[in-house]
Amino acid sequence: MKETIYQTICPGCGIGCGLYIRKNADGKLSIDHMKSSPVNLGKLCRFGMKLPHYYAKENNAVNLVNGSSAVAETAIKAAVEILKEADSSSIALLSVGNTTNEEQMAFTKLAATLETIVQTGVSSECLNVPMASLVEIENAKRIVLFIDPYVQYPLIVRRLLAAKKNGASIVAVGTQPLNLADETLDLKPENHDELKLDSESLIIADIHPNSDIMLAKSLLALAQKTYAKIQFMRPFMNSFGTGLSGDQESKKVGLAELLEDIELGNIRTLVVLDSDPIELMPDNEAAVESLKKLNNLIVISSRSSPITEFANVVIASEPVYSKAGTFLNTEGKLLENSGAGKAGVDALSLLNAGIGGKAFTYDEMNYLVLKAIEAQKEKRSVVTECSVSVDGVSSPEIPEGMYELKYLYNPFMWFDQQDDNDFVLLNRNTVRKLGLKKGGCVNLKSNRGELKMRFRVEALPNGLVLTAKKLPVARGTSTIVSMEGC
Ligand code: SF4
């Protein structure tokens, strides 16, 4: 077998950085930079550079029925039997956007046959708004950041630096000062008027399964009130493409609500497409406990992940880099793979036909995708007013002597990938107060146990501890902990 080169995009976040994946005769993978990619001009962040590990052969999904390996046909048949016997009112489908538009469209067809919709893990009512393009970042006069671009969406840093060079002022809203920001303001939503936004301003925030949707809506309302542009970054390669289905946005619920519905017994059968709630939820163990309440779990995936281990059926598709298909990045730009793999669409077609729907081809799905993109462009030129009260935006109470351990979501965390950044961030006051020694560690304690971590000093407010890695002592994106030196 000769070497094969695939033109693809990085699955690490919604920016959609272009790159080449090389597969040599022994199946070993390496990456090549794609200088012609308009999104990233060949540059990749640490996550993109580690894609050969992410896509390593041992991480590929395999077909399974009740934990035993099976051929694809057997796995699809088993899934058909489950879906035919399940009570249709208690079936849910989930895809957060880790695959092509064409697979997403095929999944929508399956949902329609089952008389339901595809959940995307985000309650997106009111949030499907026109996006600023990444180039617009460079031309904005005032940029307000509700994200940490270095950690969360690294490839927009170069756009922000270009904006600064063009004279933009940059404000970071939050507790962590950013090197590239002119100022950092720790503002509550009710004080966002102090940001002094106008039509030449740009707000950059993000939306993901664990976002505070009330905060996202309040930012949208702020943008509408001040005529500022808004860019919601998204964490998955095709998060934006999940909006193509035409499904009723108002019926979409957040991932936490979906798991609650499973807990309550309202959902008995879950079908997921390249989405793993165990990886996505801040508390892995709680997500496992919820999923155990299901009668049936069907996973259609290119990747093996914690959820594939206890699914009733796993239907494996090819790795994303080798799929035929398109993606929409965070700015709505259409990007395309050079691969020819259609196993994911074909499996969904067989599933759909098996439960009484129509079979379809990849080309038919591609046609529907392109049509939906055109329709979406027209829809997106109409801005809907989104009114929201800031009362629902929460901020936790921290008891005296305790600390708030907060997750700083990033591509490594979303996919539970190994990361060298194995430390927590504390401020200098905390280090002094706890008597921590340089090169030493800090012992974090919560009601879930304790954990020793290395630490780094960062200019944070008192009482805050940040982590870019999921920690077993954490319950969620925000956990109250006590700390002592070790
Ligand atoms: S910025 Fe996002 S898309 Fe680009 S290389 Fe990093 S993780 Fe991948």
Side-chain angles (χ1 to χ4, degrees):
M1 197 179 98
K2 292 197 307 216
E3 183 180 64
T4 316
I5 301 173
Y6 300 91
Q7 180 183 318
T8 185
I9 68 168
C10 169
C13 77
I15 293 181
C17 294
L19 76 152
Y20 299 104
I21 298 270
R22 263 174 203 274
K23 190 175 188 179
N24 77 8
D26 301 326
K28 195 161 178 271
L29 302 177
S30 58
I31 51 170
D32 262 359
H33 298 270
M34 192 179 145
K35 294 207 168 87
S36 60
S37 167
V39 174
N40 56 314
L41 304 176
K43 295 182 172 40
L44 295 170
C45 73
R46 288 188 308 122
F47 186 88
M49 294 299 289
K50 290 190 177 172
L51 282 179
H53 172 76
Y54 174 88
Y55 279 132
K57 207 173 158 198
E58 57 272 21
N59 295 339
N60 291 345
V62 289
N63 294 300
L64 297 171
V65 176
N66 296 324
S68 304
S69 44
V71 294
E73 199 189 352
T74 310
I76 293 167
K77 263 191 191 161
V80 165
E81 287 316 310
I82 287 173
L83 292 176
K84 274 173 41 179
E85 278 170 30
D87 170 6
S88 63
S89 66
S90 66
I91 300 177
L93 276 69
L94 171 73
S95 173
V96 296
N98 282 319
T99 190
T100 62
N101 284 319
E102 287 68 19
E103 281 192 14
Q104 186 72 25
M105 186 60 78
F107 202 43
T108 306
K109 295 281 156 212
L110 181 70
T113 307
L114 291 165
E115 295 179 351
T116 182
I117 62 163
V118 175
Q119 296 292 341
T120 58
V122 176
S123 149
S124 52
E125 186 188 1
C126 219
L127 293 174
N128 223 357
V129 291
M131 292 293 143
S133 76
L134 294 177
V135 176
E136 281 177 90
I137 296 176
E138 298 179 24
N139 301 323
K141 290 280 171 269
R142 185 169 176 79
I143 299 174
V144 178
L145 295 172
F146 285 84
I147 56 164
D148 177 342
Y150 293 108
V151 180
Q152 296 175 278
Y153 301 96
L155 259 290
I156 62 161
V157 170
R158 71 184 185 91
R159 308 266 185 195
L160 292 165
L161 292 173
K164 267 193 101 154
K165 219 169 163 186
N166 291 338
S169 63
I170 301 186
V171 183
V173 180
T175 49
Q176 196 186 4
L178 295 177
N179 281 342
L180 54 67
D182 299 293
E183 56 179 333
T184 300
L185 301 174
D186 188 6
L187 289 180
K188 296 223 174 330
E190 58 270 29
N191 299 327
H192 283 169
D193 282 346
E194 292 174 27
L195 291 168
K196 301 186 191 84
L197 301 171
D198 62 24
S199 59
E200 292 188 306
S201 308
L202 173 65
I203 300 169
I204 306 181
D206 71 347
I207 299 180
H208 56 71
N210 304 318
S211 301
D212 184 334
I213 285 299
M214 291 307 286
L215 175 64
K217 284 186 180 179
S218 75
L219 296 182
L220 182 58
L222 178 69
Q224 287 173 346
K225 191 169 93 180
T226 59
Y227 301 100
K229 294 194 173 71
I230 188 159
Q231 173 68 56
F232 282 118
M233 306 298 293
R234 317 259 173 158
F236 311 117
M237 68 190 309
N238 203 22
S239 302
F240 204 70
T242 58
L244 284 180
S245 61
D247 283 336
Q248 286 176 41
E249 298 294 314
S250 57
K251 287 192 178 168
K252 289 190 179 167
V253 298
L255 190 54
E257 282 166 271
L258 192 75
L259 291 175
E260 204 179 302
D261 260 348
I262 294 172
E263 285 271 340
L264 294 170
N266 299 332
I267 296 171
R268 295 273 179 209
T269 299
L270 179 68
V271 189
V272 299
L273 177 63
D274 272 286
S275 307
D276 186 340
I278 303 169
E279 283 182 337
L280 297 171
M281 288 302 285
D283 186 340
N284 297 17
E285 282 172 31
V288 167
E289 289 310 310
S290 301
L291 293 171
K292 278 184 184 165
K293 302 260 164 68
L294 289 166
N295 291 347
N296 306 297
L297 175 60
I298 298 170
V299 175
I300 305 154
S301 186
S302 57
R303 239 180 105 229
S304 97
S305 68
I307 200 171
T308 54
E309 277 172 29
F310 69 96
N312 302 81
V313 177
V314 178
I315 299 171
S317 66
E318 61 282 272
V320 174
Y321 67 81
S322 63
K323 288 182 191 294
T326 60
F327 309 89
L328 285 175
N329 80 345
T330 198
E331 56 186 330
K333 196 187 279 293
L334 186 66
L335 304 166
E336 191 162 3
N337 259 6
S338 68
K342 294 170 183 164
V345 172
D346 291 346
L348 286 161
S349 169
L350 287 169
L351 260 183
N352 196 42
I355 59 167
K358 267 190 176 173
F360 43 73
T361 64
Y362 168 84
D363 289 343
E364 284 165 352
M365 293 302 104
N366 179 254
Y367 171 78
L368 292 178
V369 166
L370 300 181
K371 226 170 89 176
I373 289 171
E374 279 314 306
Q376 197 186 52
K377 274 185 199 154
E378 282 166 35
K379 199 171 131 201
R380 280 183 184 283
S381 60
V382 183
V383 183
T384 45
E385 283 295 318
C386 184
S387 63
V388 65
S389 141
V390 292
D391 298 344
V393 185
S394 51
S395 42
E397 291 288 323
I398 319 287
E400 185 66 33
M402 304 291 269
Y403 299 84
E404 182 189 13
L405 174 66
K406 231 173 159 176
Y407 277 178
L408 200 50
Y409 275 101
N410 62 86
F412 289 93
M413 202 186 259
W414 284 121
F415 297 102
D416 265 351
Q417 292 291 291
Q418 288 280 337
D419 186 14
D420 314 330
N421 285 357
D422 209 0
F423 50 80
V424 290
L425 298 173
L426 315 169
N427 78 1
R428 206 166 288 287
N429 282 347
T430 306
V431 169
R432 275 199 210 108
K433 196 169 153 192
L434 300 177
L436 303 181
K437 302 267 178 307
K438 199 174 172 192
C441 67
V442 60
N443 196 33
L444 298 128
K445 269 192 206 169
S446 75
N447 53 8
R448 303 192 60 169
E450 49 189 288
L451 179 73
K452 289 182 175 50
M453 288 291 288
R454 292 186 299 136
F455 66 90
R456 277 200 192 168
V457 179
E458 191 70 61
L460 302 175
N462 289 329
L464 184 65
V465 188
L466 291 180
T467 170
K469 187 182 155 80
K470 270 193 200 171
L471 302 179
V473 289
R475 280 215 80 81
T477 47
S478 169
T479 307
I480 304 299
V481 294
S482 64
M483 293 198 295
E484 57 190 29
C486 54

